[in-house]
Each structure stands twice: as structure tokens, then as C-alpha cells.
Amino acid sequence: WLIRCEQISKSFNITRGFFRKTLKIDALRNVSINIGFNEIVGLVGESGSGKSTLGKILLRLLEPDSGRLYFFEEDITHKRERELKNFRKSIQVIFQDPMASLNPRVRIIDAVEEPILLHERISKEIAFERAKEMLIRVGIDSKEFFKFPHELSGGQRQRVNIARALVTKPKFVVADEPVSSLDVSVQAEVINLFLNLQRELKFSMLFISHDLRVVRHISDRVYIIYRGEIVEEGAPLKIFSEPSHIYTKTLVEDLFEI
């Protein structure tokens, strides 16, 4: 496996109410998932199910309370930041809100060029050319290169974020609800873009969504997460034709009612 986790648990302390009572909320309970090489794995769950928390733990942006995390079968659960240099070069994340992910004061060509200069010792000229090539690859016209994020549409901004994530040729990408803020027609375009780029660049991806329809289209395998636990896993066809958990059955039934 490229990346896998075993028995991951994570809780948060939340203060609520007039008397500021502290409650312990279990976000994840004994979660184990595997992601293979050049594989797109879907993670489906409702808001608050723990799916984004799991994505952040796989990226080592959050520390688990218990469990183990492996990258290329090396245990990286408790490695210090200075020991994660190669890991950091190999991972990227694409978030839900394309506008919030981009600095409004930075032109898009500079935003895509930035991670190259951060991770690689190459000249600014070479980085600039690679950034232009990747922007064209994701469907951004050259006349848009020197614009600022607010001058682009939501779909264009997300394409820029995809270019920014993939320009360093990562081995593993977490896409956290990357199309949920886009129009339905634009969603289809971006999903097909993901599929084409994944085939060309051969990276693995955890695709997080609450939309089973989108995940069915893009994923090789699907995990269903419910209240912090993985309740079902399998190929999309199996999940749709033979859902075993009541939550999965509800998702499939709701989908066919649309």
C-alpha cells in the first residue's frame, strides 16, 4: 500500500453552553483504511462523520490519539517534522472552497509556481514554465495567467488549485469536497479532469465527499464512514448493488430518488 492507517482514533474537547461545560467528542473510532498505488479511494459520509479529520490525519496535519499511520510501509505516526521532509514533498491537498485556498493578492501563475520553488532547487524561470504548462493542462487559458483569483469563476479557481496541488507531482493527494461548491455542470468537468490527470500523472487520491453519486463516478474503491467509524468498504458497484449497512442503504435509496 502507498498509505494506510490502522485503528486510528481521534477526539476533541468542545466547550458548550452557558456554564461552559467541556464535552469530549469522538471524531474517529478505530478507523483503518488502505490506499494503493495509482488508486482513487472515495470516502463518503455526512457532515460531522469524521471524514475531513481522517484526511488531515493521513496528511499528518492532525495527530491521532491512538493508532498507526504508514507511508510506503514506513511508520510515520510519531515522526518529527524534520523527519517528514520527503513525506511533505509527496503529498498535497485540495480543499472545498477554491477562493479561500488562494491568496487574493497573488496572481494565479505565481500561486502555481510557489510550491515548485518551495520543494525543488530549480531556477525561477524553469518553475515559471512548469507552472504555465500545468495551468494549460488543467484548462486555464494563457490570457488568464496573470489575473487574480477574484477575476476567475469558481470552476476556474478550483482548476488553479488542482494545478497548484499537482505541479510538484505528488504521490498522494487528499481532495476534501473539491466539487461541492461548484455548479453541477462544472462538477462533471472537474471530476473528468481529475480522472484524466490521475491517469497521466499516476498519483493516488483520497476523494472525500458527502455525495455518493460523485464518488461512484470517480473511485476505484469506496469507504463509508458514519459517526466516526468505517461501516462499509468495497468497489462502487458492490456498494450500490449490495449495500450492507443501514446508513449506506439510506444513501443509495436517496440517490435513486433524485
Side-chain angles (χ1 to χ4, degrees):
W1 301 103
L2 174 69
I3 192 164
R4 63 185 176 92
C5 64
E6 294 180 350
Q7 301 295 303
I8 292 290
S9 294
K10 180 69 178 178
S11 62
F12 298 97
N13 292 324
I14 299 177
T15 303
R16 289 179 176 173
F18 179 79
F19 294 103
R20 312 301 292 166
K21 184 178 180 180
T22 300
L23 302 174
K24 182 180 178 181
I25 304 297
D26 291 325
L28 297 172
R29 291 189 293 274
N30 299 318
V31 169
S32 299
I33 72 168
N34 307 312
I35 299 172
F37 294 91
N38 304 330
E39 183 180 36
I40 299 178
V41 172
L43 180 64
V44 181
E46 62 191 354
S47 178
S49 62
K51 56 188 188 296
S52 292
T53 299
L54 179 58
K56 290 175 182 176
I57 286 175
L58 291 178
L59 294 169
R60 278 292 310 267
L61 298 177
L62 277 178
E63 295 290 332
D65 297 333
S66 61
R68 315 299 295 183
L69 176 63
Y70 299 88
F71 187 65
F72 280 94
E73 297 304 322
E74 179 184 6
D75 189 342
I76 62 168
T77 314
H78 301 299
K79 282 188 177 293
R80 297 178 181 179
E81 193 58 39
R82 66 173 180 267
E83 299 175 298
L84 291 172
K85 187 175 181 181
N86 290 331
F87 175 70
R88 293 287 177 221
K89 287 181 180 180
S90 301
I91 62 170
Q92 282 292 342
V93 60
I94 301 166
F95 292 110
Q96 176 179 351
D97 185 350
M99 190 63 183
S101 301
L102 295 169
N103 187 329
R105 299 179 181 178
V106 175
R107 299 174 303 176
I108 66 168
I109 185 68
D110 297 320
V112 176
E113 181 187 73
E114 182 183 28
I116 308 174
L117 295 173
L118 179 64
H119 291 296
E120 300 181 36
R121 293 184 177 180
I122 60 175
S123 69
K124 187 172 176 61
E125 290 75 16
I126 294 175
F128 185 78
E129 290 301 317
R130 278 180 51 186
K132 289 199 301 182
E133 179 185 339
M134 183 55 72
L135 281 168
I136 291 171
R137 205 167 188 172
V138 301
I140 299 296
D141 193 274
S142 58
K143 67 177 182 291
E144 316 287 348
F145 288 177
F146 296 94
K147 289 185 177 181
F148 291 92
H150 71 273
E151 299 178 281
L152 304 178
S153 68
Q156 286 176 315
R157 285 193 289 266
Q158 196 60 303
R159 287 172 184 267
V160 173
N161 278 318
I162 293 169
R164 193 170 190 268
L166 299 182
V167 73
T168 55
K169 300 178 181 178
K171 294 179 175 64
F172 177 57
V173 176
V174 171
D176 192 351
E177 298 275 10
V179 299
S180 62
S181 65
L182 306 177
D183 293 338
V184 174
S185 60
V186 179
Q187 283 186 11
E189 293 176 2
V190 173
I191 289 298
N192 288 328
L193 175 63
F194 270 124
L195 287 169
N196 291 334
L197 290 170
Q198 193 269 340
R199 281 192 292 264
E200 293 172 15
L201 300 177
K202 301 186 185 307
F203 57 88
S204 299
M205 179 164 62
L206 179 69
F207 191 94
I208 299 172
S209 180
H210 65 277
D211 191 335
L212 193 57
R213 176 192 55 198
V214 171
V215 169
R216 175 179 62 172
H217 183 64
I218 196 172
S219 304
D220 299 306
R221 284 189 300 121
V222 178
Y223 286 93
I224 306 295
I225 187 169
Y226 180 65
R227 295 185 177 180
E229 297 183 56
I230 298 296
V231 296
E232 195 156 355
E233 180 265 337
L237 181 60
K238 177 181 179 293
I239 294 289
F240 271 81
S241 61
E242 302 174 14
S244 60
H245 192 272
I246 184 64
Y247 175 63
T248 314
K249 291 178 181 178
T250 301
L251 288 176
V252 173
E253 288 169 1
D254 290 346
L255 182 65
F256 287 118
E257 286 178 4
I258 296 175

